Amino acid sequence: GIEKVERALNIDNLYDQVSSNLVHQMSAALKAKELYRRDRDYVVQNGEVRIVDEFTGRILDGRRWSEGLHQAVEAKEGVSIKAENQTLATITLQNYFRLYNKLAGMTGTATTEAAEFGNTYGLDVVPVPTHRPVKRQDHADLIYKTENSKIEAVVDDIEERRATGQPILVGTVSVENSEKISRALDQRGITHNVLNAKEHNREAEIVTQAGRLGAVTVATNMAGRGVDILLGGNPEGLARQDLFRDGMDPAHPANAAHLEARVAHHEPSCTNEGQQVKDVGGLYVLGTERHESRRIDNQLRGRSGRQGDPGESRFYLSLEDDLMRLFATGAMNWVMDRALPDDTPIEANMVTKAIERAQNTVEQKNAEVRKNVLKYDEVMNEQRKVIYARRSQILNGEDLREESLEYIESAVAQIVDQFCGDEDRLEWDLEAIHAETNSYWPTELTVDGMRQLNDVTTLEQDMVDDAVRHFEKRESELGASTMREVERQVLLRIIDQRWREHLYEMDYLREGIHLRGIGQKDPVAEWQREGFDMFSSMLESVYSDFVKYAMHAEVVIADGQRSGDGLTYSSSDSNPQLSPAAAPPKSVAPNQTSKQTQVVKTEEQKIGRNDPCHCGSGKKFKHCCGR
């Protein structure tokens, strides 16, 4: 397979360093082709690929897959390929919820996840008895050999119950399956409504009618959460539909009287029809496949038998369903092969319990995955707190003069460590120190003067004193308030850029860190150690970049420009990427007046191979436009 790809691309080695990005693109293309299915993981609407939430069945507006995966799916579907999103911030849901001082919640399906609530959030789950006894009958599952025989049985059941007037809610796990059931019902001439991610605009209208006599509704998980289906129909929903048909907006205050009158008109008929529905057994919930999580199945069952109403539920399964295919035992397959034809189901509580055990296994596995993700995110969470605390400090307008002096000391320490690693003065690279120092600020120190110094401590102190003198000179030229604004704006931009790069690098580290287990090392411990080293390196680069930019701030006259703080940063306004190298400052204009706006500018030198690319991709220059 690899050789075929290499021939198609006309390259010798796909894994050559020059072609390294091709490997990533090929991986994304394979995932898009084989693992991501249309009408299950996503839908195509108006020339766009839109992600469907696995648990709610709803479209996730504004969400796109990262790492080039969304672009690969767009190429697969032949729609317009949009630019890749850049990750600006990440946080797990667990750590997001922990940001709140108080946590509480209410749901009908928390008991199956009680242990995880306790371990992750320290919350106890307390069951509250129902207000009225539950009258719903939950029938045992029916299991068929093939999916086609299962669908035939589902349609037969729907046709039989619809003849008695019983309303039916058919639950499916994906848009694709909901449309498959819909086509089978069309072939039998059974009138029905489909509620899925493609029809979400009609959700209110469909749910309003779902509890009426003989109504058949085919739905994804959208109908399994937070949906109250009233037996006999919802009078308020029917009244709203009446107003829409008459060209009136039900939400407008001027139409409140009309809405109230229509509700009063529908209430008696809905009440009478509701009683008829109760007489024929209430709402019948028919599940066409078990979900990996019991919570989702319980939510679907819970649409029926609400508030003490009668109701029924049953799940139809086949050995070709994902859950059955992955977790059904060989013995069950043997029984189905030997004893029963395709259209004969197994109905036994033992089988239902076996399926629930399989679901429990999957839930435990998923809980372990979430626990593992949380372990890894603890490292990022601590780093996130440091970065966002500093950003808040900047955005709140705090004085950063003391921090600026600390950053100068940090930058000087980096230079000295780099070129004076040995106490032996003969090993000092003084020319390199002088050149490097000049890239940070125009130093007044000379190489000859440095040679007269006896130890590293004295050299470092002299360099700090020289940097502080230049800093104070810049402060007096620009004015204290202007210098404080320069510090805030420059530091904010550098932190944002470096943090984005750090997120990318941590993502790449996360992808391969599990391989450390082969070397008998704990991947989590290795992740913590390397993550700390990378974060420390990132902070050092922030400090050094800040010193370069703050020391090389240049004030020029810009007539006719207006800005809230009187400052504009040309390098970061035109391009969000900041170059770590900055040009030496030019002189201050002598005839500056108070009505003229100051513009702080920085000029970029030639981009280094390891510097962020000027195109704004977030990649290093050597891996992007410099290849």
Side-chain angles (χ1 to χ4, degrees):
I2 298 296
E3 291 176 0
K4 189 174 181 180
V5 173
E6 289 170 346
R7 285 197 300 272
L9 296 175
N10 195 27
I11 57 176
D12 294 330
N13 184 2
L14 184 65
Y15 291 88
D16 199 7
Q17 186 176 4
V18 179
S19 308
S20 59
N21 199 38
L22 294 176
V23 177
H24 170 70
Q25 290 170 347
M26 183 186 72
S27 175
L30 273 174
K31 285 181 184 176
K33 179 177 179 293
E34 300 297 338
L35 302 181
Y36 288 77
R37 281 166 44 191
R38 183 171 180 168
D39 292 339
R40 185 192 70 178
D41 303 299
Y42 63 90
V43 296
V44 178
Q45 287 184 342
N46 303 321
E48 290 184 5
V49 172
R50 308 182 73 184
I51 301 173
V52 175
D53 188 292
E54 175 189 0
F55 298 105
T56 65
R58 301 180 188 275
I59 288 176
L60 299 174
D61 284 319
R63 293 275 296 277
R64 290 172 66 82
W65 289 303
S66 58
E67 299 291 326
L69 181 58
H70 209 98
Q71 286 70 25
V73 174
E74 287 171 333
K76 168 187 169 184
E77 296 295 341
V79 301
S80 175
I81 298 176
K82 297 182 180 178
E84 185 175 352
N85 286 359
Q86 185 171 8
T87 302
L88 302 181
T90 62
I91 189 170
T92 59
L93 285 173
Q94 292 97 322
N95 277 323
Y96 174 72
F97 290 135
R98 285 171 171 178
L99 295 176
Y100 289 93
N101 293 326
K102 293 183 179 179
L103 269 181
M106 182 176 288
T107 173
T109 55
T111 50
T112 58
E113 313 296 336
E116 191 170 352
F117 278 117
N119 294 333
T120 305
Y121 305 107
L123 296 177
D124 294 326
V125 175
V126 180
V128 178
T130 55
H131 176 50
R132 296 180 180 134
V134 178
K135 296 180 182 178
R136 185 185 68 241
Q137 296 179 24
D138 296 329
H139 299 293
D141 298 349
L142 296 179
I143 304 175
Y144 291 81
K145 287 178 68 173
T146 65
E147 187 175 13
N148 288 336
S149 58
K150 176 188 76 173
I151 291 175
E152 284 294 318
V154 165
V155 177
D156 289 341
D157 195 5
I158 291 172
E159 193 169 29
E160 181 181 332
R161 289 178 179 273
R162 182 171 173 270
T164 67
Q166 188 173 17
I168 302 160
L169 174 65
V170 183
T172 62
V173 295
S174 67
V175 176
E176 180 184 23
N177 284 3
S178 68
E179 293 182 340
K180 195 179 291 183
I181 298 290
S182 177
R183 286 193 295 269
L185 292 172
D186 284 335
Q187 290 173 0
R188 295 281 189 95
I190 298 174
T191 306
H192 63 281
N193 285 312
V194 179
L195 176 58
N196 58 31
K198 293 182 178 179
E199 303 288 341
H200 69 281
N201 293 327
R202 295 182 56 228
E203 180 177 359
E205 175 190 345
I206 292 171
V207 170
T208 297
Q209 305 285 0
R212 307 196 71 179
L213 275 172
V216 178
T217 308
V218 180
T220 57
N221 294 334
M222 288 177 69
R225 300 160 72 98
V227 172
D228 208 359
I229 298 173
L230 299 184
L231 301 185
N234 185 332
E236 185 177 349
L238 295 171
R240 287 175 176 275
Q241 288 179 23
D242 290 346
L243 262 62
F244 272 125
R245 278 194 292 269
D246 295 340
M248 292 185 283
D249 181 6
H252 198 281
N255 299 324
H258 293 286
L259 180 64
E260 193 174 335
R262 297 308 300 170
V263 170
H265 170 73
H266 285 294
E267 273 181 346
S269 60
C270 286
T271 302
N272 292 335
E273 191 170 331
Q275 187 56 50
Q276 295 177 50
V277 171
K278 291 177 183 178
D279 292 340
V280 295
L283 180 67
Y284 177 51
V285 171
L286 191 158
T288 60
E289 193 172 333
R290 285 278 198 161
H291 200 276
E292 284 186 353
S293 171
R294 288 173 295 169
R295 290 183 60 247
I296 308 296
D297 292 340
N298 291 340
Q299 284 170 344
L300 180 61
R301 286 192 198 273
R303 299 312 99 199
S304 175
R306 298 171 77 82
Q307 296 294 316
D309 290 338
E312 296 179 72
S313 72
R314 167 166 277 172
F315 279 85
Y316 282 75
L317 313 176
S318 81
L319 289 180
E320 295 175 354
D321 295 345
D322 288 342
L323 188 72
M324 297 294 293
R325 187 165 44 82
L326 295 173
F327 295 98
T329 62
M332 187 183 293
N333 282 311
W334 184 84
V335 170
M336 298 294 280
D337 284 338
R338 294 295 179 88
L340 302 168
D342 286 357
D343 58 352
T344 303
I346 286 181
E347 179 182 4
N349 286 329
M350 179 190 72
V351 176
T352 303
K353 288 177 181 177
I355 293 167
E356 288 181 352
R357 282 197 299 272
Q359 286 179 309
N360 193 34
T361 302
V362 178
E363 286 171 9
Q364 287 175 354
K365 184 184 113 189
N366 290 340
E368 196 61 33
V369 169
R370 288 192 295 270
K371 185 178 175 183
N372 208 32
V373 168
L374 190 58
K375 273 187 195 173
Y376 282 100
D377 193 60
E378 289 300 334
V379 176
M380 292 300 299
N381 197 40
E382 293 305 313
Q383 297 177 5
R384 196 182 297 119
K385 288 176 183 176
V386 172
I387 291 296
Y388 280 82
R390 180 47 52 91
R391 288 188 88 257
S392 297
Q393 184 184 9
I394 296 168
L395 294 172
N396 290 334
E398 294 186 23
D399 192 318
L400 298 179
R401 190 177 193 280
E402 291 301 319
E403 283 80 0
S404 299
L405 296 177
E406 290 177 9
Y407 296 161
I408 289 173
E409 292 179 5
S410 174
V412 169
Q414 288 181 52
I415 297 172
V416 172
D417 289 344
Q418 183 177 357
F419 298 105
C420 300
D422 200 315
E423 287 291 332
D424 187 355
R425 291 172 61 252
L426 297 177
E427 298 296 324
W428 295 359
D429 191 346
L430 297 178
E431 286 79 7
I433 291 176
H434 190 267
E436 183 72 10
T437 304
N438 258 324
S439 72
Y440 281 81
W441 70 89
T443 180
E444 296 176 0
L445 299 177
T446 63
V447 175
D448 291 337
M450 293 178 183
R451 285 201 179 97
Q452 307 304 316
L453 302 176
N454 296 322
D455 55 67
V456 172
T457 306
T458 307
L459 173 62
E460 187 172 332
Q461 188 57 50
D462 281 6
M463 291 173 66
V464 170
D465 293 342
D466 180 52
V468 170
R469 280 196 300 274
H470 181 73
F471 178 79
E472 290 174 344
K473 178 183 174 185
R474 302 301 297 148
E475 191 174 33
S476 63
E477 290 171 349
L478 296 173
S481 61
T482 302
M483 192 63 185
R484 298 293 83 77
E485 190 61 35
V486 169
E487 293 164 355
R488 283 192 289 270
Q489 296 278 3
V490 169
L491 185 56
L492 184 64
R493 283 163 170 76
I494 292 174
I495 285 177
D496 286 352
Q497 177 206 337
R498 292 298 184 188
W499 179 242
R500 287 197 299 268
E501 293 174 3
H502 181 68
L503 290 177
Y504 267 125
E505 291 169 359
M506 292 295 283
D507 281 345
Y508 293 139
L509 176 64
R510 175 73 177 84
E511 284 179 11
I513 199 70
H514 65 279
L515 297 174
R516 303 292 175 88
I518 299 173
Q520 306 301 310
K521 294 181 179 179
D522 180 7
V524 175
E526 290 293 299
W527 163 262
Q528 291 171 341
R529 183 180 60 79
E530 293 212 16
F532 176 77
D533 291 344
M534 289 168 65
F535 185 66
S536 301
S537 176
M538 186 267 292
L539 289 180
E540 288 177 359
S541 68
V542 167
Y543 302 155
S544 59
D545 283 2
F546 171 78
V547 173
K548 288 179 182 179
Y549 276 86
M551 292 293 207
H552 285 161
E554 176 192 356
V555 180
V556 296
I557 306 303
D559 293 324
Q561 287 193 7
R562 297 174 63 190
S563 70
D565 55 17
L567 298 168
T568 305
Y569 296 82
S570 61
S571 68
S572 53
D573 284 345
S574 60
N575 186 341
Q577 303 295 327
L578 290 171
S579 168
K586 297 180 182 178
S587 59
V588 179
N591 299 322
Q592 182 177 336
T593 66
S594 59
K595 293 184 180 178
Q596 292 169 320
T597 305
Q598 294 175 331
V599 181
V600 179
K601 300 177 67 177
T602 55
E603 298 177 5
E604 297 182 9
Q605 291 180 342
K606 182 180 177 182
I607 297 177
R609 283 178 53 74
N610 289 316
D611 294 342
C613 188
H614 56 76
C615 71
S617 66
K619 298 179 180 178
K620 291 183 179 180
F621 179 68
K622 66 182 180 183
H623 292 318
C624 192
C625 298
R627 290 202 302 165

